[in-house]
Amino acid sequence: MLRALCELLEITRHLLLCVLENLCSSVEFSINMPSFLLLGAICIFLFSRVPPCLPLQKVHVSKETIGKISAASKMMWCSAAMDILFLLDGSHSVGKGSFERSKHFAITVCDALDISPEKVRVGAFQFGSMPHLEFPLDSFSTRQEVKAQIKRMVFNGGRTETGLALRHLLRRGFPGGRNGSVPQSLVIVTDGKSQGQVALLAKQLKEKGIIVFAVGIRFPRWAELRTLASEPQEQHVLLAEQVEDATNGLLSTLTSSALCSPAAPDCRAQAHPCAHRTLETIRELAGTAPCWRGAPRADAVLATRCPFYSWKRVLLSHPATCYRTTCPGACDSHPCQNGGTCIPEGLDRYHCLCPLAFGGEANCAPKLSLECRIDVLFLLDRSSSTALEGFLRAKAFVKRFVQAVLSEDSRARVGVAGYSRELVVAVPVGEYQDMPDLVRSLDGIAFSGGPTFTGSALRQVAERGFGSAARPGQARPQRVVVLLTESPSQDEVAGPASRVRAHDLLLLALGSEAVRAELEEITGSPRHVMVYAEPQDLFSKVPELQEKLCVRPRSGCQAQSVDLIFLLDASASVGPENFAQMQSFVRSCALQFDVNPDVTQVGLVVYGGWAQTAFGLDAHLTRAAVLRAMSQAPYLGGVGSAGMALLHIYDKVMTVQRGARPGVLKVVVMVTGGRGAEDAAAPAQKLRSSGISVLVVGVGPVLRDALRRLAGPQHALIHVAAYSDLQYHQDALIEWICREAKRPVNLCMPSPCMHEGICVLRRGSYLCKCRDGWEGPHCENRVLRGDAPKARGSRQDPAGGLHTPGSQHLQWPGHPGS
């Protein structure tokens, strides 16, 4: 009965809301109207209990572009002669707090204006129940005076009579203006809840040539803002809550009219997809509950079932286009290599925040030579199906490759063979050390015609393609066969290709789109195939082939720094035999990385009935030690909880005190059968939000929905049909990790500061601001009471940095100034 009574009260309250909504919006507070004051208080109480709508204007671009939008808004400049009048909504529906944000927006716009009697003049109105002139356009002649006067504006309250304010401007014009002899702009900042009609008045203003910007504040009604704004509406409707974005949009529109200009000639106003979004609350029937109502008889009650309701938030999104100015930055060309983070310093300067292994090099360049010791045999199709034109094109590609890539002192050796019915080794590997001689020798390779027996050619390559090309006194280099063909084979290729790979030869292939499937079958991996849509596009593949040739087995991510945690499902649903196959798989993956404290650190966590750290990031300093420890990881059994295991990693593994390194990419690779993953989506998102990449390897014939939710982005999920197939997905896993390793890394994500210390970025380093009672570079040391007096005051470090009590300033090795 109590529940039914509560539901009845809730329904009654919402009925009152419907009745009072219009009344509340029309109330003009006055000390002479106490009843209205009471009604206003009722309105405030009722509406405070209802979840508010949260409209947003969101530009769908990358964080880097958002940063550029903010930076460009501070660099744009308006120096042409024009009159700008701010019309600020000071009604009660806006409120004092939002009115202050309106003033802040107006002040931010003024920062970009060349305010003077001859150039830009600025005036301001405030409107509520009546329009009120704050100051005319000719009152102040400097930017400082205008900004100071805007700051002094006092919130008046009242109804939202936008129409009265527009009618006043139509009748009397811009006060203190130049009578239309210069361009006029009206910037209306309002929540769009006018209590009168505004469409006709706004149209008349725009017909007089006035540029009207409609800038939303608080919870704007977008439809009314679009009615107020000039055409095109997407360039004149903004949101003041996002002040730098709105400022950029307003100035970008004025720039298109030649009234303003960006700070640099390369800055451009571009269209970006965006949306006007509103989070609305709707009522839904949640069910029924027993309740009692009066019966016809006075001494009886009627038992029945009454409905009860729940409130659901629905996000409504209205697609739009936003025009914003961005300027090219020094980091646009991604100059920092090997996972280094580019930090801009103005428009044309930057510095690189490098991982440990590359801290001493410019732009985090690798310390190792880019040249690789390799033997390459180009295998050219010269059959009738390819035709003479295709064969000559393949020969030209080989010429261009050796001329562009190989130098006189190169450690790579090249040979060339052709095939149709039989294989002919025209230029044995290593025969020519002089590059010009090698190029001239290619001219002697003739077209033969005949059938396309690619399978037979591969079989012969395995037997005699490289001859006795071993280098005296040296270990045999990596041997690579590069197949160039545009025609499908007339014989079987799978068996011969497997034989080639069994001879420890790497197979790469270039061909047309028509033979992609066959080339993937030959090479054994889509990553080893390069295809082109048009014949002339073949020559654009030279850089891609060079990169693939120098990727050696067990090269990891080109020595990029990574903190890598493997998380293995050791629950009863997996079983000990499958767990052993997991162990073998992660051992093979670990072989791909250069394990040492400066490059890659590896840790292992297992979970079943509980989560256990098999070994932490800083436990083993060599690859051999990591491999031994992986073999000794325990099988736990029990009912697994992936969410518990991920939280264990967040709290007890990926922390500075457990060996995690600030400024280094952090990756968690989770291998699981999928059971027990129902609670893992939120912990996985917590890791990702802290800057930790999470890859899910799901094993099983059916991919569970829980794993899809856990993986989050589609590219962060690898589906494996059976545990015995894990070995075939190693390349995909390594490729994903290496791709993640190229992302910029934030020194404060995850935070290196312990005991609730706050991490603050500072010019390529970070500062841990410690709570009272803690000190140390990472707030790791407790301050004893007897030591407290020593922490008082501030001190200057030798580098000139100011230190305050409870904070530590760190320069990470490899940063500028370290």
Side-chain angles (χ1 to χ4, degrees), residues 499-763:
R499 187 171 181 179
V500 171
R501 294 196 297 270
H503 279 71
D504 199 23
L505 299 176
L506 173 62
L507 271 172
L508 302 176
L510 287 91
S512 64
E513 187 68 45
V515 292
R516 176 194 288 269
E518 182 174 285
L519 297 183
E520 290 180 359
E521 183 180 15
I522 290 173
T523 63
S525 171
R527 297 192 308 113
H528 295 160
V529 175
M530 294 151 280
V531 298
Y532 44 90
E534 300 296 334
Q536 62 271 18
D537 295 336
L538 168 64
F539 301 102
S540 67
K541 300 297 179 180
V542 168
E544 186 177 355
L545 176 59
Q546 179 189 13
E547 180 180 353
K548 291 183 183 294
L549 282 174
C550 282
V551 174
R552 300 290 305 277
R554 300 183 181 180
S555 62
C557 300
Q558 297 295 322
Q560 296 188 38
S561 297
V562 179
D563 283 348
L564 175 61
I565 293 292
F566 289 101
L567 175 61
L568 302 187
D569 185 348
S571 64
S573 64
V574 171
E577 294 183 359
N578 290 332
F579 179 72
Q581 295 198 61
M582 283 186 181
Q583 285 178 289
S584 177
F585 172 64
V586 296
R587 278 171 50 86
S588 298
C589 294
L591 278 169
Q592 306 296 319
F593 294 93
D594 182 11
V595 178
N596 69 66
D598 290 333
V599 185
T600 302
Q601 292 188 147
V602 179
L604 178 64
V605 175
V606 295
Y607 72 95
W610 66 95
Q612 178 177 331
T613 304
F615 58 90
L617 288 167
D618 56 354
H620 302 293
L621 307 183
T622 65
R623 184 161 50 202
V626 166
L627 297 178
R628 283 194 301 271
M630 284 181 166
S631 300
Q632 298 167 3
Y635 171 73
L636 302 179
V639 178
S641 169
M644 172 190 65
L646 291 171
L647 291 176
H648 174 83
I649 290 175
Y650 182 87
D651 293 328
K652 300 181 180 179
V653 180
M654 281 292 192
T655 62
V656 170
Q657 59 267 43
R658 302 299 172 88
R661 298 166 293 174
V664 172
L665 175 77
K666 291 166 180 58
V667 176
V668 174
V669 176
M670 179 180 183
V671 188
T672 175
R675 296 186 184 276
E678 292 77 10
D679 64 344
Q685 185 56 44
K686 184 175 182 180
L687 287 169
R688 292 190 178 99
S689 299
S690 298
I692 301 172
S693 301
V694 180
L695 173 66
V696 179
V697 181
V699 186
V702 178
L703 184 60
R704 300 177 181 274
D705 290 339
L707 285 185
R708 296 184 190 275
R709 293 191 297 270
L710 165 60
Q714 185 176 1
H715 67 82
L717 174 64
I718 297 176
H719 180 217
V720 183
Y723 289 94
S724 58
D725 294 338
L726 279 169
Q727 57 181 318
Y728 303 118
H729 296 269
Q730 175 181 309
D731 288 347
L733 185 149
I734 300 300
E735 182 179 1
W736 185 90
I737 294 175
C738 295
R739 185 168 60 249
E740 287 292 295
K742 296 178 182 179
R743 293 192 302 107
V745 178
N746 188 329
L747 281 168
C748 288
M749 292 183 64
S751 175
C753 306
M754 301 161 55
H755 302 112
E756 301 181 14
I758 299 174
C759 180
V760 180
L761 289 173
R762 286 196 175 177
R763 296 183 304 233

